[in-house]
Amino acid sequence: MALLKWLRRNLVVIAGLATLAYLILPNVVVMVFSFNKPNGRFNYSWTRFSTDAWKDPCGVADMCGSLSLSLQIALWATIGATALGTMIAFALVRYRFRARGAINSLIFLPMAMPEVVMAASLLTLFLNMGAKLGFWTILIAHIMFCLSFVVTAVKARVMSMDPRLEEAARDLYAGPAQTFLRVTLPIALPGIAAGALLAFALSFDDFIITNFNAGSTVTFPMFVWGSAQRGTPVQINVIGTAMFIIAVVVVAAGQFIANRRNNSAKA
Amino acid sequence: MTALAEAPAELPVRKTSARKRLVPYWLLLPGILWLIVFFALPMVYQASTSVQTGSLEKGFQVTWHFQTYWDAFKEYYPQFVRSLLYAGTATVLCLLLGYPLAYLIAFKAGRWRNLVLVLVIAPFFTSFLIRTLAWKTILADGGPVVHALGSLHVLDVTNWLGWTEGNRVLATPMAVVCGLTYNFLPFMILPLYTSLERIDSRLHEAAGDLYATPATTFRKVTFPLSMPGVVSGTLLTFIPASGDYVNAELLGSTDQKMVGNVIQSQFLRVLDYPTAAALSFILMAIVLVMVTVYIRRAGTEDLV
């Protein structure tokens, strides 16, 4: 009876933790299976413990090449989408002008469209233009679909910004450049950073749009996709585990910095 | 931004305002041009492709052959129905699973809040394909999950419902929906958390002071106030799930193909571009209509 009562009182916590377990379970499995030594080509069932894959993460042909290609594309896509998106966000929040509604919908639409539709339509454009599919078509596509997310992230931050801070800077005889660099940009920076981080993650992990527009170029997600048919090397789990750990450290560090800043702002 | 920064402060008032009026347009130009050329224009090309006839050898010509739409729909409507059904089920499951976790992070996690948030966000940065492949291991035929479901006689029920088949989970609708739910769960949790976090905790206290039970407080105060999160969360899960073909390909069999799988194979393997383009436009139309109706009914304007 007491147990039942306790269960009822903590129902939300239990359900929430169960969901969390569901979210993390695959990451745990990926981690555990990075220490597996499979018998055949597929790393789907546990055979025996081994650290071979960790000692030789690039031992699989083409895998690390695809990984470095994905990192390069993600880096350039992040730079491109963040620059273009930040400019759009500032224009939308700070200025009143004609066609504002139309531009808002143009930015909303890529997020409200199944990825496969965008991927297919972009491919028809490239085919019609006779473009060679590869690095550049992937990069163009990635900047395109990351753009809206950056705009949304930066917009949220700039909107919550008090315009009086800039007025105050001007009252204190700061020039427009000084106001922008010393006041506007630092305040908008967390939003820009969040947008950039999101763009990086989206680009690095994108499969569907890349699948359509990559031609014979193989990014890391494409390599993983191919390996599902050919046989999955254990090294894929090593990379997956490493990515998870790096992500946890990066996100945790970001949260830590944001927290400290909040606390010092309060103090 | 440089235009903004370089505008000298001491310019005559009228000249400054003329220059200033152009600033937003210069800021918008590169990004909007990018979206027009690589998002809007491709849609036009795809529209034109969908009404072409011909073959890869002889070339395609625009013949306003709208029949393609009807033929494509007729041939693949099971895949359409399946996509909407799977995506809808996954969305409902995401809401049911995601709400408690979002609630937990917003109100109950205390000092663990950041850790839990990190654990929700971190999977974003780990390849989702690797994680989807991990479900193959988890749901494997002889594996612990299937074993447990079997000994609890859950599989008997799901077999009877047609969700699973022959005491296995892999290559059944259940596996695909499980994968979809898993993949899009963070997209549900984060908007839910954002809108729950904004709720003033004094409202809860007020509800308690007015003798509302926790359940009533939730029903009358918390849930209605979290509606913006519910709406954007369901959209962020349903839309991508309806066009997904990764889960159906990796976790399902040929009987679980969704419309995304058809579009992908028509475009990249069969090379029947008109049919593929028509299918993707039908999918887009269905999704846009459903989303519009849904937003009207749910009545939230500030989604973006």
Side-chain angles (χ1 to χ4, degrees):
Chain A
M1 236 23 233
L3 182 73
L4 221 68
K5 226 175 172 182
W6 181 85
L7 273 176
R8 261 190 66 177
R9 194 141 11 95
N10 293 295
L11 198 62
V12 180
V13 178
I14 296 164
L17 289 178
T19 304
L20 196 61
Y22 177 63
L23 264 179
I24 302 172
L25 180 64
N27 287 94
V28 175
V29 170
V30 169
M31 207 178 286
V32 170
F33 276 73
S34 71
F35 293 105
N36 190 19
K37 192 169 181 71
N39 278 329
R41 292 183 298 143
F42 291 96
N43 184 20
Y44 293 140
S45 56
W46 182 260
T47 318
R48 64 190 176 82
F49 182 84
S50 139
T51 52
D52 289 356
W54 280 93
K55 283 180 198 143
D56 184 22
C58 282
V60 192
D62 302 333
M63 189 186 75
C64 283
S66 70
L67 193 62
S68 106
L69 178 71
S70 275
L71 286 172
Q72 282 171 45
I73 289 174
L75 186 68
W76 290 116
T78 303
I79 293 171
T82 308
L84 300 179
T86 305
M87 283 158 72
I88 294 179
F90 267 95
L92 283 175
V93 177
R94 281 305 165 80
Y95 297 92
R96 295 282 165 276
F97 50 87
R98 261 181 288 161
R100 221 163 150 271
I103 283 167
N104 265 324
S105 355
L106 182 63
I107 285 155
F108 176 67
L109 269 177
M111 294 189 287
M113 188 92 39
E115 246 191 298
V116 70
V117 176
M118 278 194 283
S121 70
L122 202 53
L123 178 62
T124 58
L125 175 83
F126 288 142
L127 288 174
N128 276 294
M129 296 197 318
K132 195 177 164 294
L133 298 177
F135 182 87
W136 292 104
T137 53
I138 301 174
L139 185 58
I140 285 171
H142 283 203
I143 292 178
M144 183 270 287
F145 75 76
C146 290
L147 195 50
S148 306
F149 291 93
V150 175
V151 174
T152 313
V154 180
K155 227 172 96 176
R157 179 77 193 182
V158 180
M159 259 203 287
S160 66
M161 200 165 134
D162 194 336
R164 281 172 302 183
L165 288 170
E166 286 163 308
E167 279 165 35
R170 252 172 273 141
D171 288 346
L172 294 166
Y173 298 104
Q178 225 179 348
T179 309
F180 181 78
L181 287 175
R182 305 286 295 266
V183 179
T184 317
L185 199 60
I187 300 177
L189 212 55
I192 299 173
L197 211 60
L198 191 60
F200 189 88
L202 286 172
S203 163
F204 186 74
D205 207 18
D206 178 73
F207 173 72
I208 294 182
I209 288 183
T210 314
N211 186 213
F212 274 77
N213 294 293
S216 55
T217 309
V218 180
T219 62
F220 184 67
M222 303 260 301
F223 181 86
V224 179
W225 173 259
S227 79
Q229 272 103 40
R230 288 192 313 266
T232 43
V234 186
Q235 275 82 350
I236 282 185
N237 293 53
V238 172
I239 303 296
T241 308
M243 275 156 69
F244 182 68
I245 293 170
I246 293 171
V248 169
V249 169
V250 168
V251 179
Q255 293 241 345
F256 182 70
I257 292 167
N259 260 4
R260 276 203 28 187
R261 207 169 276 161
N262 274 348
N263 288 342
S264 61
K266 266 177 215 154
Chain B
M1 232 153 294
T2 44
L4 182 73
E6 279 162 10
E10 63 272 25
L11 271 177
V13 177
R14 276 189 62 192
K15 227 175 168 184
T16 318
S17 68
R19 252 185 126 166
K20 256 197 165 162
R21 241 179 298 146
L22 282 176
V23 170
Y25 296 103
W26 285 116
L27 286 173
L28 288 167
L29 191 69
I32 295 303
L33 215 57
W34 201 281
L35 281 181
I36 289 173
V37 176
F38 299 118
F39 175 74
L41 190 63
M43 293 292 166
V44 178
Y45 271 98
Q46 177 148 269
S48 133
T49 303
S50 70
V51 290
Q52 289 174 349
T53 47
S55 65
L56 207 59
E57 295 81 36
K58 290 178 199 154
F60 291 97
Q61 240 110 48
V62 177
T63 50
W64 301 106
H65 191 261
F66 283 106
Q67 184 74 31
T68 312
Y69 277 86
W70 179 240
D71 292 344
F73 186 73
K74 218 167 49 187
E75 191 172 348
Y76 296 109
Y77 84 87
Q79 280 85 346
F80 275 109
V81 173
R82 199 176 292 140
S83 297
L84 299 178
L85 209 63
Y86 286 3
T89 314
T91 307
V92 172
L93 285 173
C94 278
L95 186 61
L96 292 176
L97 290 172
Y99 209 104
L101 184 52
Y103 192 93
L104 176 89
I105 305 172
F107 300 126
K108 307 238 167 184
R111 62 202 178 94
W112 300 105
R113 178 193 270 199
N114 285 336
L115 177 73
V116 181
L117 260 182
V118 168
L119 289 176
V120 172
I121 299 169
F124 267 124
F125 295 83
T126 321
S127 178
F128 83 101
L129 280 168
I130 299 181
R131 287 179 286 125
T132 309
L133 283 176
W135 279 106
K136 269 188 131 144
T137 308
I138 299 167
L139 302 175
D141 288 346
V145 173
V146 171
H147 190 79
L149 292 178
S151 46
L152 290 171
H153 296 284
V154 176
L155 282 184
D156 297 339
V157 181
T158 52
N159 277 343
W160 180 73
L161 287 168
W163 296 350
T164 55
E165 217 177 303
N167 286 327
R168 61 187 308 225
V169 175
L170 265 189
T172 66
M174 194 158 126
V176 179
V177 171
C178 170
L180 286 170
T181 309
Y182 169 76
N183 262 316
F184 298 109
L185 194 51
F187 295 89
M188 177 68 86
I189 293 171
L190 293 177
L192 279 178
Y193 162 68
T194 316
S195 64
L196 282 172
E197 201 216 357
R198 276 191 205 137
I199 299 175
D200 192 333
S201 61
R202 283 173 299 184
L203 288 170
H204 291 152
E205 288 161 26
D209 290 347
L210 295 166
Y211 298 106
T213 61
T216 316
T217 308
F218 177 76
R219 206 161 38 100
K220 296 259 180 174
V221 180
T222 316
F223 189 75
L225 286 172
S226 70
M227 263 322 263
V230 173
V231 172
S232 50
T234 44
L235 289 177
L236 282 173
T237 45
F238 180 79
I239 297 170
S242 66
D244 180 82
Y245 56 84
V246 174
N247 287 284
E249 179 80 33
L250 294 182
L251 302 174
S253 71
T254 42
D255 293 336
Q256 282 84 46
K257 291 274 184 265
M258 293 165 72
V259 70
N261 301 78
V262 182
I263 296 174
Q264 193 245 13
S265 80
Q266 291 287 326
F267 244 118
L268 302 179
R269 268 179 255 158
V270 186
L271 304 179
D272 182 353
Y273 298 134
T275 302
L279 282 170
S280 104
F281 264 123
I282 298 171
L283 175 65
M284 183 177 89
I286 293 174
V287 168
L288 283 183
V289 168
M290 288 179 78
V291 166
T292 314
V293 171
Y294 177 67
I295 293 178
R296 284 267 163 80
R297 295 209 113 189
T300 8
E301 294 279 300
D302 46 8
L303 278 172
V304 204

